[in-house]
């Protein structure tokens, strides 16, 4: 380490610390840190680990509720779902690694979020993803799409957790910074939850899992930095995953916990051994003594700096009572995993480490975790996009415009993506990819857990507050379409640099939009992730507050339908005319990035969603929500190539708003004629319009007696598939 003041400050800058943070570090220690200590401060004070720019605003999110067992602050959130079962879930980002090396970046993103869930004592039962790519014709973009999908597929399929849902969108703002957000839901008994706490002085610290290598060093600080043209040079910071070891790790950890051999447990995620050791000690109010010579390694000559900051995958840190250490080690060996006693829990709130007979570092815990920097970044509240001056939207070629819309990347069918994922492993999947939400049974029960990921980034760019609020509302509607009651939210908040007041203003507005909607709808936010610095050469991504929502069906009696059947009647629940502000029609057909994005009508959203969920649970209707692209795209999504519909809308309606309008909490429902009275009765007092019936092989829409749309369903259904035709040769 260079010891003169100027050299030290430069070294701190190389580690991502600002000059004022360097001064704060010196004040906290009362001395100059050695290189290992500087690396530890750099990792734990990074945006990725400390949430230093976001904590002040994350407190606005409602985190309490009658079902909440564990809210933010642990590895994952926990909510009660009935009969003594709990759902454990979280969503995380792996954006920068996936841009640098898409296959391993996406694969290890899945591995990391799996560990966040099973480290709580839960068995993962489903995975979802939320993906954002740039223009499909941009340099490297097809390579990135291919690599990300294969990474998710290969890792998830090998581990044996079904990937059952998600979303994908394309926009040029992601050309230099794609988003890969992964979500996992697990289940456990309420009395079987474990926590990441290093409790009990005298207890032992046990390392288990894969050996430590040099991959992933500085991963946390890299994730807290913006990209430039030299991003590819950062490839060594991307971790390498081994899903077969992860499967062994899942089974071994769950057996250790079921046998009561573990006091505390945490995965070595971002910042590796550094974050797991310091965070576990901080939560318990204790300290640790570590012997770095005992850490299993796969490369010769590794230094304490590398041992503490490596982000090698498939590793866990356990706190074990003295009498159980050998039982733990022997059980790990039976599962083919390394397990080594590497330290002790102490009462003093410090972490000390030795290496080759001498001290490696000694650091107080508080300045690194609880007293890490917290910033009130200046922000400039965004002005919502003004309404556009629209051309006359009468007597247009609605069929051609519909086909243009369906062929756009923004409305691409994700089938060629999810067909590479194993959706049925575990034999508990009721509804898988391609539906509004996934539905999976808790093993051995009839309780269904539903999950969805949602965010209209285009709308969030126009109005971050209303766009984020609408993402929550859409997630509620998606759960309703499989009959589920929402019980909790996890989020993944993807933005540019928080040091930019405009970006910070977008972040604050989005947080407030999510918070208000979740508060009014009484859905707690129990976990999540903030991903800043998603920008390249100063160009930020669209604000993308991805919402992951979990719901429960108390008793699954049948498979919910998302498609219509011959002879059924079609209804719209909610206003027949949607809003064009912030719509895909304006974006794609008219080339207008214009608002306004409507505010969420919380009362109407709650009422309609509850009615639809009940009707779906009873098997009265098939349902889909009306979202991107409006009513006509919902009709195509609900239909099939050989089964169309003949519909009539009022002649005095505004055809563009009926066909392509979005928002306003609307549903498209299909119902057998015998059940129509039950539907009408259930929706009494709400706006409900009967459009027509299912039949024929064309989609026909009449305004009064005039046909305004008549297109082949086979052609319409085929258009969203074509954008990803080039993926046919990709092997999952």
């Amino acid at each position: 380490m260079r010891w003169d003041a100027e050299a030290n400050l430069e070294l701190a800058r190389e580690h991502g610390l600002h000059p004022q943070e360097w001064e704060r570090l010196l004040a906290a220690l009362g001395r100059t840190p050695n290189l290992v200590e500087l690396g530890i401060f750099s990792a734990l004070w990074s945006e990725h680990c400390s949430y230093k720019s976001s904590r002040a605003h994350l407190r606005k999110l409602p985190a309490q509720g009658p079902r909440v067992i564990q809210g933010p602050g642990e590895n994952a959130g926990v909510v009660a779902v009935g009969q003594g079962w709990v759902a454990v879930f979280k969503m995380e980002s792996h954006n920068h690694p996936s841009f640098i090396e898409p296959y391993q970046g996406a694969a290890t993103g899945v591995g990391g979020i799996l560990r966040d869930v099973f480290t709580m004592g839960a068995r993962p039962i489903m995975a979802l993803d939320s993906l954002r790519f740039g223009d499909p014709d941009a340099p490297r973009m097809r390579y990135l799409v291919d690599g990300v999908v294969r990474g998710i597929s290969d890792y998830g399929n090998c581990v044996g957790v079904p990937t059952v849902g998600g979303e994908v969108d394309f926009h040029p703002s992601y050309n230099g910074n794609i988003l890969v957000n992964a979500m996992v839901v697990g289940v456990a008994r309420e009395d079987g939850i474990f926590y990441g706490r290093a409790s009990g002085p005298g207890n032992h610290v046990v390392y288990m899992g894969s050996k430590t290598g040099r991959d992933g060093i500085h991963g946390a600080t890299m994730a807290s930095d913006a990209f430039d043209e030299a991003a590819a040079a950062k490839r060594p910071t991307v971790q390498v995953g081994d899903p077969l070891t992860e499967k062994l790790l899942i089974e071994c950890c769950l057996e250790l916990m079921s046998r009561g051999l573990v006091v505390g447990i945490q995965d070595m995620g971002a910042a590796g051994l550094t974050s797991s050791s310091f965070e576990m000690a901080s939560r318990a109010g204790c300290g640790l003594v570590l012997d770095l010579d005992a850490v299993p390694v796969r490369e010769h000559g590794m230094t304490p700096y590398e041992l503490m900051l490596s982000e090698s995958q498939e590793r866990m840190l356990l706190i074990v009572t003295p009498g159980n250490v050998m039982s733990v080690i022997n059980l790990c060996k039976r599962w083919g995993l390394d397990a080594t006693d590497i330290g002790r829990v102490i009462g003093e709130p410090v972490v000390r480490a030795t290496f080759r007979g001498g001290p490696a570092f000694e650091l107080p815990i508080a300045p690194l975790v609880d007293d890490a920097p917290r910033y009130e970044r200046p922000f400039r509240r965004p002005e919502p996009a003004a309404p556009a001056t629209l051309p006359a939207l009468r007597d247009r070629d609605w069929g051609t415009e519909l086909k243009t819309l369906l062929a756009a990347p923004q409305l691409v069918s994700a089938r060629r993506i999810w067909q590479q994922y194993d959706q049925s492993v575990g034999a508990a999947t009721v509804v898988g990819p391609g539906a509004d939400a996934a539905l999976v049974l808790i093993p051995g029960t009839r309780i269904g857990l539903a999950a969805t990921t949602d965010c209209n980034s285009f709308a969030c760019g126009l109005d971050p507050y209303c766009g984020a609020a609408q993402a929550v509302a859409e997630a509620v509607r998606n759960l309703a379409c499989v009959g589920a009651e929402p019980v909790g939210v996890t989020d993944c908040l993807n933005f540019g640099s928080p040091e930019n007041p405009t970006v910070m203003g977008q972040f604050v507005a989005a947080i407030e939009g999510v918070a208000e909607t979740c508060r009014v709808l009484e859905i707690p936010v129990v976990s999540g992730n903030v991903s800043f610095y998603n920008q390249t050469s100063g160009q930020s991504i669209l604000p993308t507050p991805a919402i992951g929502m979990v719901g429960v069906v108390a008793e699954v009696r049948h498979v919910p339908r998302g498609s219509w059947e011959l002879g059924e009647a079609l209804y719209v629940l909610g206003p027949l005319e949607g809003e064009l502000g912030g719509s895909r029609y304006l974006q794609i057909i008219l080339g207008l990035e214009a608002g306004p994005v409507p505010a969420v009508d919380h009362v109407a959203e709650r009422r309609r969603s509850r009615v639809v969920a009940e009707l779906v649970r009873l098997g009265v209707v098939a349902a889909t929500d009306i979202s991107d692209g409006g009513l006509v795209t919902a009709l195509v999504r609900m239909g099939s190539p050989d089964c169309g519909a003949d519909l009539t809308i009022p002649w005095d309606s505004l055809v563009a708003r009926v066909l392509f309008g979005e928002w306003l909490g609307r549903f498209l429902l299909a119902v057998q004629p015998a059940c129509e009275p039950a539907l009408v009765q259930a929706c009494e007092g709400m706006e409900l319009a009967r459009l027509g019936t299912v039949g024929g092989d064309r989609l026909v829409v009449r305004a009064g007696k005039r046909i305004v749309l008549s297109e082949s369903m086979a052609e319409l259904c085929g258009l969203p598939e074509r954008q990803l035709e080039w993926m046919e040769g990709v092997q999952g």
Side-chain angles (χ1 to χ4, degrees):
M1 174 122 181
R2 297 167 288 181
W3 293 105
D4 63 276
E6 185 175 341
N8 286 342
L9 181 58
E10 179 57 31
L11 192 58
R13 284 196 183 100
E14 292 174 7
H15 279 75
L17 297 176
H18 297 301
Q20 63 270 29
E21 291 175 337
W22 173 245
E23 294 300 324
R24 180 174 181 149
L25 184 161
L26 295 177
L29 284 186
R31 58 178 174 82
T32 301
N34 65 30
L35 184 61
V36 185
E37 293 167 334
L38 177 59
I40 290 171
F41 267 96
S42 168
L44 292 181
W45 281 11
S46 69
E47 196 74 60
H48 188 78
C49 290
S50 73
Y51 289 76
K52 57 190 175 185
S53 297
S54 58
R55 280 184 184 266
H57 301 285
L58 293 174
R59 291 195 294 264
K60 302 173 184 176
L61 296 170
Q64 303 300 318
R67 291 181 179 268
V68 176
I69 307 299
Q70 175 64 55
E74 268 288 344
N75 291 293
V78 184
V79 297
V81 295
Q83 300 180 28
W85 290 96
V86 295
V88 181
F89 54 96
K90 190 180 182 184
M91 183 156 56
E92 276 272 8
S93 62
H94 229 221
N95 303 334
H96 286 181
S98 299
F99 183 78
I100 295 170
E101 211 306 301
Y103 181 87
Q104 291 294 350
T108 53
V110 174
I113 195 64
L114 283 166
R115 290 192 295 278
D116 280 341
V117 168
F118 73 72
T119 193
M120 301 287 292
R123 176 171 293 280
I125 63 169
M126 61 173 148
L128 303 91
D129 50 51
S130 178
L131 309 177
R132 296 293 185 280
F133 299 108
D135 186 327
D137 295 323
R140 296 182 74 239
M141 199 52 58
R142 292 192 176 190
Y143 161 76
L144 292 171
V145 175
D146 176 22
V148 165
V149 172
R150 286 191 297 107
I152 293 171
S153 170
D154 287 358
Y155 204 98
N157 292 358
C158 289
V159 169
V161 177
T163 301
V164 293
E167 56 166 353
V168 61
D169 198 1
F170 293 83
H171 190 276
S173 77
Y174 304 107
N175 281 356
N177 200 127
I178 64 173
L179 302 184
V180 176
N181 296 173
M183 176 181 173
V184 166
V185 183
V187 294
R189 300 298 294 175
E190 187 172 339
D191 58 1
I193 295 298
F194 282 77
Y195 297 95
R197 296 169 188 168
S199 304
N203 284 337
H204 289 235
V205 181
V206 175
Y207 172 118
M208 71 170 292
S210 295
K211 292 180 170 63
T212 297
R214 291 189 169 97
D215 51 324
I217 293 174
H218 287 311
T221 49
M222 182 267 288
S224 305
D225 195 9
F227 276 166
D228 56 24
E229 289 80 358
K234 300 181 180 180
R235 189 178 303 273
T237 61
V238 178
Q239 311 95 320
V240 177
D242 179 358
L244 298 179
T245 298
E246 181 96 341
K247 175 60 175 174
L248 297 176
L249 204 62
I250 292 173
E251 301 304 331
C252 183
C253 286
L254 292 178
E255 183 174 350
L256 286 169
M257 290 183 274
S258 70
R259 291 174 57 176
L261 298 177
V262 175
V263 175
I265 180 170
Q266 180 156 325
D267 76 300
M268 297 188 212
L273 182 56
T274 288
S275 61
S276 55
S277 58
F278 278 84
E279 289 173 6
M280 290 181 79
S282 175
R283 292 190 191 111
C286 296
L288 300 175
V289 173
L290 303 176
D291 176 10
L292 298 184
D293 292 296
V295 174
V297 296
R298 64 170 183 258
E299 299 183 48
H300 294 295
M302 291 191 69
T303 66
Y305 184 95
E306 294 169 325
L307 294 169
M308 289 302 298
L309 295 173
S310 167
E311 293 186 9
S312 293
Q313 296 290 286
E314 294 88 37
R315 302 180 302 157
M316 308 292 288
L317 200 64
L318 314 178
I319 305 301
V320 181
T321 59
N324 284 333
V325 171
M326 287 311 302
S327 296
V328 168
I329 291 174
N330 289 334
L331 182 59
C332 291
K333 287 182 178 178
R334 180 162 64 82
W335 282 101
L337 298 169
D338 281 298
T340 309
D341 187 348
I342 67 167
R344 303 288 185 277
V345 179
I346 60 175
E348 187 182 359
V350 300
V351 176
R352 298 190 185 99
T354 59
F355 184 69
R356 294 180 181 172
F361 67 85
E362 178 173 337
L363 291 171
I365 294 170
L368 283 150
V369 185
D370 292 335
D371 298 334
R374 303 285 185 268
Y375 296 133
E376 295 274 0
R377 300 279 192 192
F379 62 89
R380 187 163 47 247
R381 286 193 178 275
E383 291 291 333
T389 301
L390 301 180
L393 298 178
R394 300 179 64 87
D395 300 323
R396 298 173 68 89
D397 188 344
W398 306 112
T400 296
E401 292 186 339
L402 171 58
K403 287 184 280 190
T404 300
L405 198 66
L406 291 172
Q410 293 85 350
L411 274 78
V412 65
S413 167
R415 185 182 64 82
R416 283 184 173 84
I417 292 177
W418 56 253
Q419 70 182 0
Q420 299 178 54
Y421 305 154
D422 189 335
Q423 305 117 38
S424 58
V425 62
T429 303
V430 179
V431 177
D436 290 83
L439 182 62
V440 175
L441 290 176
I442 295 178
T445 78
R446 301 302 299 174
I447 301 172
L449 285 186
T452 182
T453 59
D454 290 287
C455 181
N456 184 324
S457 308
F458 174 68
C460 291
L462 296 172
D463 186 334
Y465 180 93
C466 287
Q470 290 286 358
V472 175
E474 183 178 353
V476 173
R477 294 195 299 273
N478 285 341
L479 293 184
C481 290
V482 295
E485 170 198 354
V487 295
V489 162
T490 183
D491 55 39
C492 203
L493 308 175
N494 307 272
F495 290 81
S497 170
E499 298 167 52
N500 181 333
T502 298
V503 171
M504 198 64 201
Q506 294 172 336
F507 176 78
V508 172
I511 283 278
E512 292 173 352
V514 171
E516 176 66 10
T517 304
C518 286
R519 185 178 300 108
V520 176
L521 298 181
E522 299 179 303
I523 310 170
V525 181
V526 297
S527 62
N529 169 242
V530 176
S531 177
F532 278 135
Y533 296 100
N534 290 290
Q535 62 183 51
T536 299
S537 302
Q539 180 63 47
S540 294
I541 63 165
L542 287 174
T544 310
I547 299 297
M549 189 176 291
V550 171
V552 63
V553 180
E555 183 181 6
V556 178
R557 301 175 184 175
H558 62 91
V559 178
R561 285 191 297 121
S563 58
W564 63 48
E565 295 178 349
L566 185 65
E568 287 191 313
L570 298 179
Y571 284 80
V572 168
L573 176 60
L576 181 57
E577 297 173 4
E579 296 288 349
L580 289 175
S583 69
R584 297 298 190 181
Y585 182 82
L586 259 60
Q587 178 192 9
I588 297 166
I589 303 301
L590 301 184
L592 298 174
E593 297 191 1
V597 178
V600 172
D601 183 338
H602 300 105
V603 174
E605 291 279 1
R606 183 201 297 265
R607 190 179 182 196
R608 292 181 199 133
S609 293
R610 286 180 174 177
V611 166
V612 170
E614 179 66 15
L615 291 170
V616 169
R617 285 195 296 270
L618 294 173
V620 175
V621 301
T624 190
D625 79 310
I626 298 173
S627 53
D628 285 12
L631 173 62
V632 280
T633 60
L635 289 164
V636 174
R637 191 167 65 248
M638 202 177 211
S640 63
D642 58 356
C643 190
D646 195 320
L647 314 175
T648 300
I649 61 177
W651 174 246
D652 58 355
S653 291
L654 297 175
V655 175
R657 286 180 55 182
V658 173
L659 297 183
F660 300 106
E662 299 177 13
W663 320 112
L664 307 184
R666 304 180 299 150
F667 292 88
L668 175 63
L669 308 176
V671 57
Q672 291 289 339
C675 294
E676 285 188 73
L679 169 62
V680 172
Q681 182 178 359
C683 298
E684 186 176 358
M686 292 181 273
E687 295 176 89
L688 183 69
R690 191 181 193 277
L691 299 181
T693 57
V694 176
D697 59 3
R698 300 181 72 80
L699 177 59
V700 179
V701 179
R702 309 170 192 272
K705 295 182 179 179
R706 178 185 176 189
I707 295 177
V708 295
L709 185 77
S710 179
E711 299 294 336
S712 161
M713 281 296 291
E715 181 181 5
L716 295 179
C717 291
L719 289 170
E721 300 277 348
R722 294 180 185 171
Q723 283 293 327
L724 296 179
E725 280 182 338
W726 57 271
M727 293 187 68
E728 284 288 1
V730 175
Q731 298 298 312

